Amino acid sequence: MITIKELAQELNVSEQALRSWCKRNEIKKTTKGKTTSYFLDDNAVESIRSYYTSQRKRNTTNTQRKHNESDHALDVLQAQITEKDKQISALTSQVQSLIADAATEREKERNERQAILSQLFSLQADNKELQTELNKYKAIADSKQTVVEVEPKEKAPAEDQTQPKEPASTPEPEQKELAEDPSPQKLSFFQRLFRKRSE
């Protein structure tokens, strides 16, 4: 015969668990002296040992299965993490490439803007020079126009002198006396000229 306490220590289970098992399996208590408790015979002890041994095996199997499931889940997660790391690395490379392309594009646009501004400033400078030259030519043209307008008035007498002589008209009888001794104040330009040549 063995007591609940002794068997509990042997199987490394609690006394309450053994009492519950005995109650479920209708093991009757035995009275020894003044103590009434479960005094287990060999058959009861063997049954209890067999039960807890199988229970431990089931627990071990369940634990192993859980461990295997956990290991499988860990492997799956590790594979997913590895795949995600690859995706992250690829995306990081794409982002870096896009950043580099954007920087290159910005540099290109900045150079183009600078070239356009340089052309604009050059055209403005050329336009300013052309405007200055145009103003000079306008001033020269205006001065020549003024000279052209003034010269005909100053050379008018000379042009009159260069005109061909008209034949002297024969004075009529009434004008004969004037033609013979005209007053210098009353003579025309052609009469004075003709008179000088005839003298």
Side-chain angles (χ1 to χ4, degrees):
M1 301 290 289
I2 189 172
T3 62
I4 291 290
K5 183 177 181 180
E6 292 171 344
L7 187 58
Q9 291 176 352
E10 178 186 342
L11 299 176
N12 195 22
V13 296
S14 65
E15 296 180 15
Q16 183 62 36
L18 291 179
R19 292 191 182 93
S20 297
W21 187 91
C22 291
K23 187 177 182 180
R24 288 196 305 272
N25 290 273
E26 297 180 353
I27 302 297
K28 295 181 179 180
K29 293 181 179 182
T30 302
T31 302
K32 283 186 177 184
K34 296 181 179 180
T35 304
T36 301
S37 183
Y38 290 105
F39 292 95
L40 305 174
D41 57 12
D42 293 339
N43 292 331
V45 170
E46 187 64 26
S47 297
I48 292 171
R49 285 174 179 169
S50 177
Y51 170 77
Y52 278 103
T53 300
S54 61
Q55 186 71 25
R56 285 194 180 94
K57 288 181 180 180
R58 284 196 300 272
N59 292 338
T60 301
T61 302
N62 292 335
T63 302
Q64 186 63 37
R65 186 173 62 252
K66 289 179 179 179
H67 286 167
N68 293 336
E69 291 175 354
S70 298
D71 292 341
H72 177 70
L74 288 174
D75 292 339
V76 172
L77 290 174
Q78 187 63 41
Q80 291 178 352
I81 290 171
T82 302
E83 184 65 23
K84 296 298 181 184
D85 288 340
K86 291 180 180 179
Q87 294 177 0
I88 290 171
S89 178
L91 291 174
T92 302
S93 299
Q94 291 179 2
V95 169
Q96 292 176 350
S97 178
L98 291 173
I99 291 173
D101 292 342
T104 303
E105 189 66 23
R106 285 196 299 271
E107 184 66 21
K108 182 178 179 181
E109 291 178 356
R110 183 164 52 250
N111 293 334
E112 289 178 353
R113 286 197 299 269
Q114 290 178 353
I116 292 171
L117 288 174
S118 298
Q119 292 178 358
L120 178 60
F121 293 150
S122 178
L123 289 174
Q124 288 178 346
D126 294 341
N127 187 28
K128 188 175 180 180
E129 292 179 359
L130 291 174
Q131 188 65 38
T132 302
E133 293 294 328
L134 180 60
N135 293 335
K136 290 181 180 179
Y137 286 126
K138 284 183 178 180
I140 294 172
D142 292 341
S143 63
K144 287 184 177 181
Q145 183 66 26
T146 303
V147 171
V148 169
E149 290 178 355
V150 171
E151 285 180 353
K153 295 180 180 180
E154 295 176 350
K155 294 181 179 181
E159 290 178 357
D160 292 342
Q161 293 176 1
T162 58
Q163 289 180 357
K165 296 185 292 182
E166 294 180 359
S169 59
T170 304
E172 295 180 359
E174 297 179 356
Q175 298 177 351
K176 190 173 182 179
E177 294 180 359
L178 295 175
E180 292 177 354
D181 189 15
S183 175
Q185 296 179 354
K186 295 181 180 180
L187 294 176
S188 65
F189 169 76
F190 291 105
Q191 290 173 343
R192 291 196 301 273
L193 180 62
F194 180 75
R195 184 176 182 179
K196 287 180 180 181
R197 286 182 178 272
S198 60
E199 292 176 353

